[in-house]
Amino acid sequence: MSRQPIADQFDQPIIVLELPARVGSHSVTLECTARQLADLEMLTSGAYRPVTTFMGYDDWRSCVESMRLADGTLWPIPITLQLHSQVLPASTCEIRLMHQGRHLATMEVMERFTPDLAREAEMVYATSSQEHPGVVALYEAGDVVVSGPLTIHALPRSFTGPEYLTPLETRLAIRDRGWRTVVGFQTRNPVHRAHEYLHKVALELLDGLLLHPLVGETKSDDISAEIRMRAYRTLLENYYPRDRVLLGVYPAAMRYAGPREALLHALSRKNYGCTHFIVGRDHAGVGDFYGTYAAQELFDTVDPAELGIEIIRFEHSFYCTRCEHVASKRTCPHDSSQHLALSGTKVRSLLSGGAMLPAEFSRPEVAAVLADGYRSV
Ligand code: ADP
């Protein structure tokens, strides 16, 4: 194997491992991790169009450095197949991607390189902190990236509920409903009243709402997709006009990359037929890694025509005990002592302590589903 440094315009020396020309014919079988499976599902369903296979070096580098694919298309996060070099003989020319005994896809390995993960972490996640779950996952995924055409044998399907709709099925459902404008809502958290407020303000202006909870891997203390979906079904039955809302699922894994992930979420929702996309406070953030409105600020730098989906921005919203409804600083004159806003950590600690969430935070029907879900885990 030859080692060839790439001389390019970037500061970081990046080493590419060139494959010897088809020497040997090693076929490697890979049991996919949850994240690899989620990426494969997004790629093969068309949810990541125009990206349809795991990226090679040129796309990876361009994406990391300039939020674009090598051909210039706006794309904020590398979608790569990372592996550990010790399980990948140099002569590997084929990788069989498996899940629980099913052979899902075969990659013909055309490229193999060593990504500069420190650079990727700094550029994509804006941190190399080991406190950041996305950065930890990036390092754990492996030191080598492989790329090449995929042959699909079976479509991965991570969620079994009736809400599973591919991008094409979602677009057809939207067409059947006759909606001309559709706003997408990404979420990884249990639905609460501030979420409901964002949905309904948007619904005052647009034809339909695609509620699109992320059901791929999240960090271990986030509430499971199954419980979150139960909460959504209950909420819709009781409080939403059925003909204005479509509940689907978004199979991606959460990266917690804040602004860049917000951009990925928006671009991907175009493939599901959305014309608009909600971005509120600290979208796809974790801890204090990103500013409250950092994601919205990133969208300010993108040409709307190139983005191709309209961003509906929301300020931080809360329940105001004086106004007796959900509001934001734009609509409520009272100070924070009158406002109720619970962090995800606080919600989890209330639920694990067996307490019901307050009615100002969560609809009672939803609070009951969450309490029940917590009791049964
Ligand atoms: P994530 O953005 O990580 O999926 P959430 O499920 O909490 O996390 O948020 C879903 C969407 O709702 C995001 O756009 C987020 O910015 C927005 N959002 C959540 N809670 C609020 C709130 N209280 N005020 C304004 N926007 C919010």
Side-chain angles (χ1 to χ4, degrees), residues 66-339:
S66 57
M67 294 206 302
R68 291 181 182 280
L69 303 177
D71 70 2
T73 305
L74 187 65
W75 194 270
I77 294 196
I79 309 298
T80 50
L81 185 58
Q82 275 176 259
L83 299 170
H84 295 275
S85 46
Q86 67 267 27
V87 298
L88 202 67
S91 58
T92 305
C93 66
E94 183 185 273
I95 299 178
R96 295 154 56 86
L97 298 163
M98 313 286 294
H99 180 59
Q100 296 175 344
R102 275 175 88 211
H103 182 188
L104 298 177
T106 304
M107 174 187 279
E108 187 192 347
V109 179
M110 304 297 286
E111 238 186 289
R112 163 184 177 142
F113 65 93
T114 307
D116 181 341
L117 296 181
R119 181 71 173 167
E120 181 167 341
E122 280 298 344
M123 295 301 284
V124 175
Y125 296 88
T127 177
S128 53
S129 167
Q130 289 294 315
E131 305 290 306
H132 189 295
V135 172
V136 171
L138 176 71
Y139 277 96
E140 280 176 354
D143 54 336
V144 167
V145 166
V146 287
S147 173
L150 282 176
T151 304
I152 310 302
H153 307 299
L155 287 176
R157 191 177 158 146
S158 56
F159 184 83
T160 48
E163 294 86 1
Y164 190 93
L165 297 171
T166 63
L168 176 62
E169 287 164 346
T170 311
R171 290 199 303 273
L172 291 174
I174 287 169
R175 194 192 61 187
D176 288 349
R177 285 165 173 74
W179 297 342
R180 284 164 304 118
T181 52
V182 186
V183 58
F185 183 74
Q186 143 72 30
T187 174
R188 70 164 209 263
N189 278 316
V191 62
H192 52 65
R193 294 200 55 181
H195 286 157
E196 183 179 337
Y197 173 74
L198 313 187
H199 304 157
K200 291 187 171 173
V201 169
L203 266 182
E204 290 292 350
L205 304 169
L206 300 160
D207 295 343
L209 169 67
L210 174 63
L211 284 177
H212 225 204
L214 177 142
V215 296
E217 192 181 58
T218 53
K219 56 191 176 60
S220 56
D221 62 346
D222 278 346
I223 291 170
S224 78
E226 200 187 308
I227 298 177
R228 288 185 281 121
M229 287 301 286
R230 253 185 265 154
Y232 261 111
R233 290 179 196 122
T234 305
L235 184 73
L236 293 189
E237 264 165 39
N238 288 284
Y239 296 100
Y240 284 58
R242 280 308 292 162
D243 57 341
R244 304 280 312 283
V245 185
L246 182 60
L247 178 61
V249 293
Y250 185 67
M254 202 61 209
R255 287 174 159 82
Y256 304 94
R260 282 215 192 195
E261 192 164 14
L263 186 48
L264 177 67
H265 285 163
L267 290 172
S268 170
R269 265 36 177 251
K270 276 199 296 187
N271 291 321
Y272 285 91
C274 295
T275 55
H276 294 70
F277 184 68
I278 290 174
V279 177
R281 59 106 174 89
D282 197 22
H283 185 112
V286 62
D288 291 329
F289 281 100
Y290 308 103
T292 309
Y293 298 107
Q296 297 185 8
E297 285 154 18
L298 177 62
F299 283 104
D300 293 340
T301 68
V302 177
D303 173 10
E306 184 177 21
L307 184 62
I309 183 165
E310 200 168 317
I311 303 304
I312 310 284
R313 294 160 166 79
F314 280 95
E315 283 222 8
H316 174 63
S317 308
F318 42 77
Y319 186 89
C320 174
T321 50
R322 275 294 300 287
C323 296
E324 295 184 340
H325 56 68
V326 180
S328 77
K329 268 202 333 245
R330 295 168 72 91
T331 51
C332 166
H334 308 116
D335 67 49
S336 57
S337 63
Q338 317 272 359
H339 299 161

